Structures are given as C-alpha cells and as structure tokens.
Amino acid sequence: MNSISSFMGSIERRLRRLIGDERGVSAVEFALLLPLMLTLYFGAVEVSQGIGADRKVTLTARTIADLVSQVSSIGNSDMTNALNASSAVMAPFPVANLQVTVTSVKIDAAGKATVDWSDTLNGTARVV
C-alpha cells in the first residue's frame, strides 16, 4: 500500500509541476499568431503593389493626354513618341500588357461627335 501511495504522490507532484510550468507559453502563442502575421504582411505588400500600379496607370493616362493635347495637329512620329513615353512612365511595372489608345473626336456645328482619328500602343488599331 505504501508503494501505491508514494507512486500517487509522485504523480501528483509531477502534475503540479507541469501545471505551473510556463516555459513554452511564448513559443505556443507565437506559433498560433505566425500564420496571421504572415498573411497580414503579404496582404499588405500585395495591396501596396496594386495601389502603386493604379497610380502609375493614372499618371500614364495623364502624361499621354498632356503630350497629345498640347498641339493642334500631331504627326505619326510624334504620336509614336508620345505613346512610347508611356513605357517610361510605367516603370518599374511591365508594359507588355499595357494598352494605350488616343482618340481624336470632332464635334461639328450641329453638335454631332465623330471620331477623327485613333492611335494605339499594344492594342488593336482603330484608325478612322
């Protein structure tokens, strides 16, 4: 009987020590939070890349519009140069999928709008 009570006492002492042991709590908490922290980090990186690309597209549209609207008539070489400038504005983003189209619309005295000409970069030419 004495050996059973000493065995039970030994188990009780070990359980009390185990309950009071807090050495691995930080590691367990870190392991639980790590996936959430990594998801937030990589999500923030992707969102910032998307915002940066959106700003570059807006800046490209403004730049091309400013370059083309400064003259009353524009030649093919000037138009090609203006469209190729979009590649420099879009840097460091890739321009392989970038499509820029500039269209001139004329409105006659009756108020009817018609497409005068159109030029494009990396798209389908719609010259009228």
Side-chain angles (χ1 to χ4, degrees), residues 5 41 43 63 80 101 122:
S5 66
Y41 175 74
T63 302
T80 302
T101 302
N122 295 337

Side-chain angles (χ1 to χ4, degrees), residues 1-124:
M1 204 51 146
N2 192 13
S3 67
I4 292 177
S5 66
S6 69
F7 177 72
M8 294 300 279
S10 172
I11 290 179
E12 183 180 343
R13 281 191 308 275
R14 287 182 183 170
L15 283 175
R16 285 183 191 212
R17 265 191 355 209
L18 181 64
I19 290 171
D21 192 5
E22 296 180 358
R23 288 181 292 185
V25 172
S26 296
V28 170
E29 288 175 352
F30 180 74
L32 290 173
L33 289 176
L34 182 64
L36 176 66
M37 291 188 305
L38 286 176
T39 302
L40 288 173
Y41 175 74
F42 288 121
V45 168
E46 288 299 317
V47 167
S48 67
Q49 285 287 326
I51 291 171
D54 180 63
R55 293 184 71 191
K56 285 290 191 170
V57 167
T58 302
L59 185 60
T60 299
R62 274 192 208 144
T63 302
I64 298 301
D66 288 344
L67 288 173
V68 173
S69 65
Q70 289 181 3
V71 293
S72 59
S73 66
I74 189 166
N76 282 337
S77 63
D78 293 333
M79 191 65 200
T80 302
N81 290 338
L83 289 173
N84 288 335
S86 62
S87 299
V89 175
M90 280 300 293
F93 293 102
V95 295
N97 294 329
L98 177 68
Q99 294 182 1
V100 180
T101 302
V102 179
T103 303
S104 172
V105 177
K106 284 193 175 184
I107 301 174
D108 61 11
K112 181 182 175 192
T114 57
V115 174
D116 187 33
W117 57 265
S118 181
D119 201 356
T120 186
L121 173 71
N122 295 337
T124 305

